[in-house]
Short mmCIF file of all heavy atoms in Angstrom, two decimals:
data_model
loop_
_atom_site.label_atom_id
_atom_site.label_comp_id
_atom_site.label_asym_id
_atom_site.label_seq_id
_atom_site.Cartn_x
_atom_site.Cartn_y
_atom_site.Cartn_z
N VAL A 76 -8.23 3.36 -0.38
CA VAL A 76 -6.89 3.90 -0.66
C VAL A 76 -6.86 5.39 -0.62
O VAL A 76 -5.90 6.06 -1.00
CB VAL A 76 -6.38 3.31 -2.09
CG1 VAL A 76 -6.15 1.89 -2.06
CG2 VAL A 76 -7.21 3.87 -3.20
N GLU A 77 -7.94 6.07 -0.16
CA GLU A 77 -8.04 7.48 -0.19
C GLU A 77 -6.87 8.22 0.59
O GLU A 77 -6.35 9.17 0.11
CB GLU A 77 -9.40 7.98 0.46
CG GLU A 77 -10.65 7.73 -0.32
CD GLU A 77 -10.63 8.50 -1.59
OE1 GLU A 77 -10.21 9.73 -1.58
OE2 GLU A 77 -11.04 8.00 -2.69
N LYS A 78 -6.41 7.63 1.63
CA LYS A 78 -5.29 8.19 2.45
C LYS A 78 -3.94 8.12 1.69
O LYS A 78 -3.10 8.88 2.03
CB LYS A 78 -5.17 7.62 3.79
CG LYS A 78 -6.26 7.92 4.72
CD LYS A 78 -6.22 7.28 6.07
CE LYS A 78 -7.39 7.61 6.97
NZ LYS A 78 -7.40 6.94 8.23
N GLN A 79 -3.86 7.21 0.73
CA GLN A 79 -2.63 7.10 0.00
C GLN A 79 -2.57 8.06 -1.21
O GLN A 79 -1.47 8.27 -1.71
CB GLN A 79 -2.56 5.62 -0.56
CG GLN A 79 -2.33 4.65 0.61
CD GLN A 79 -2.52 3.26 0.08
OE1 GLN A 79 -3.51 2.71 -0.16
NE2 GLN A 79 -1.34 2.63 -0.16
N LEU A 80 -3.65 8.64 -1.58
CA LEU A 80 -3.65 9.53 -2.69
C LEU A 80 -2.88 10.78 -2.45
O LEU A 80 -3.05 11.40 -1.36
CB LEU A 80 -5.12 9.96 -3.19
CG LEU A 80 -6.04 8.80 -3.55
CD1 LEU A 80 -7.42 9.38 -3.79
CD2 LEU A 80 -5.45 8.11 -4.74
N ASN A 81 -1.99 11.18 -3.39
CA ASN A 81 -1.15 12.40 -3.23
C ASN A 81 -1.85 13.58 -3.96
O ASN A 81 -2.93 13.44 -4.56
CB ASN A 81 0.25 12.21 -3.62
CG ASN A 81 0.47 11.78 -5.03
OD1 ASN A 81 -0.31 12.27 -5.97
ND2 ASN A 81 1.36 10.90 -5.34
N LYS A 82 -1.24 14.76 -3.97
CA LYS A 82 -1.83 15.89 -4.61
C LYS A 82 -2.00 15.69 -6.09
O LYS A 82 -3.12 16.04 -6.64
CB LYS A 82 -0.90 17.08 -4.30
CG LYS A 82 -1.41 18.36 -4.93
CD LYS A 82 -0.45 19.53 -4.71
CE LYS A 82 -0.99 20.85 -5.40
NZ LYS A 82 -0.12 21.90 -5.41
N THR A 83 -1.09 15.11 -6.78
CA THR A 83 -1.11 14.86 -8.15
C THR A 83 -2.25 13.89 -8.45
O THR A 83 -3.06 14.09 -9.39
CB THR A 83 0.21 14.29 -8.70
OG1 THR A 83 1.26 15.28 -8.51
CG2 THR A 83 0.13 13.95 -10.24
N ASP A 84 -2.36 12.83 -7.63
CA ASP A 84 -3.53 11.85 -7.83
C ASP A 84 -4.86 12.59 -7.73
O ASP A 84 -5.70 12.40 -8.59
CB ASP A 84 -3.46 10.82 -6.70
CG ASP A 84 -2.27 9.85 -6.82
OD1 ASP A 84 -1.73 9.66 -7.96
OD2 ASP A 84 -1.81 9.43 -5.73
N ARG A 85 -4.95 13.43 -6.72
CA ARG A 85 -6.28 14.12 -6.55
C ARG A 85 -6.58 15.08 -7.66
O ARG A 85 -7.73 15.23 -8.15
CB ARG A 85 -6.23 14.87 -5.21
CG ARG A 85 -6.26 13.91 -4.02
CD ARG A 85 -6.26 14.58 -2.61
NE ARG A 85 -6.00 13.66 -1.64
CZ ARG A 85 -6.67 12.76 -1.11
NH1 ARG A 85 -7.98 12.61 -1.59
NH2 ARG A 85 -6.42 12.00 -0.16
N GLU A 86 -5.45 15.74 -8.20
CA GLU A 86 -5.69 16.68 -9.34
C GLU A 86 -6.09 15.87 -10.62
O GLU A 86 -7.06 16.27 -11.26
CB GLU A 86 -4.45 17.45 -9.57
CG GLU A 86 -4.16 18.50 -8.62
CD GLU A 86 -2.82 19.24 -8.88
OE1 GLU A 86 -2.18 19.05 -9.90
OE2 GLU A 86 -2.45 20.03 -7.96
N ASN A 87 -5.45 14.75 -10.82
CA ASN A 87 -5.83 13.89 -11.98
C ASN A 87 -7.27 13.37 -11.86
O ASN A 87 -8.00 13.46 -12.83
CB ASN A 87 -4.85 12.64 -12.11
CG ASN A 87 -3.52 13.08 -12.59
OD1 ASN A 87 -3.37 14.06 -13.25
ND2 ASN A 87 -2.49 12.21 -12.32
N ILE A 88 -7.70 13.00 -10.74
CA ILE A 88 -9.01 12.45 -10.51
C ILE A 88 -9.96 13.59 -10.74
O ILE A 88 -11.02 13.51 -11.41
CB ILE A 88 -9.17 11.83 -9.13
CG1 ILE A 88 -8.36 10.51 -9.01
CG2 ILE A 88 -10.66 11.61 -8.81
CD1 ILE A 88 -8.16 9.94 -7.65
N ASP A 89 -9.73 14.77 -10.15
CA ASP A 89 -10.66 15.95 -10.31
C ASP A 89 -10.77 16.36 -11.77
O ASP A 89 -11.83 16.61 -12.26
CB ASP A 89 -10.17 17.10 -9.53
CG ASP A 89 -10.35 16.93 -8.03
OD1 ASP A 89 -11.09 16.01 -7.55
OD2 ASP A 89 -9.76 17.64 -7.27
N ASN A 90 -9.61 16.38 -12.51
CA ASN A 90 -9.65 16.85 -13.91
C ASN A 90 -10.43 15.79 -14.79
O ASN A 90 -11.18 16.10 -15.66
CB ASN A 90 -8.20 16.98 -14.43
CG ASN A 90 -7.53 18.17 -13.97
OD1 ASN A 90 -8.28 19.23 -13.65
ND2 ASN A 90 -6.27 18.21 -13.93
#
Side-chain angles (χ1 to χ4, degrees):
V76 297
E77 286 296 321
K78 291 181 181 177
Q79 294 173 279
L80 299 176
N81 60 39
K82 182 181 176 188
T83 299
D84 294 329
R85 292 181 194 285
E86 287 176 9
N87 286 339
I88 290 167
D89 288 345
N90 286 333

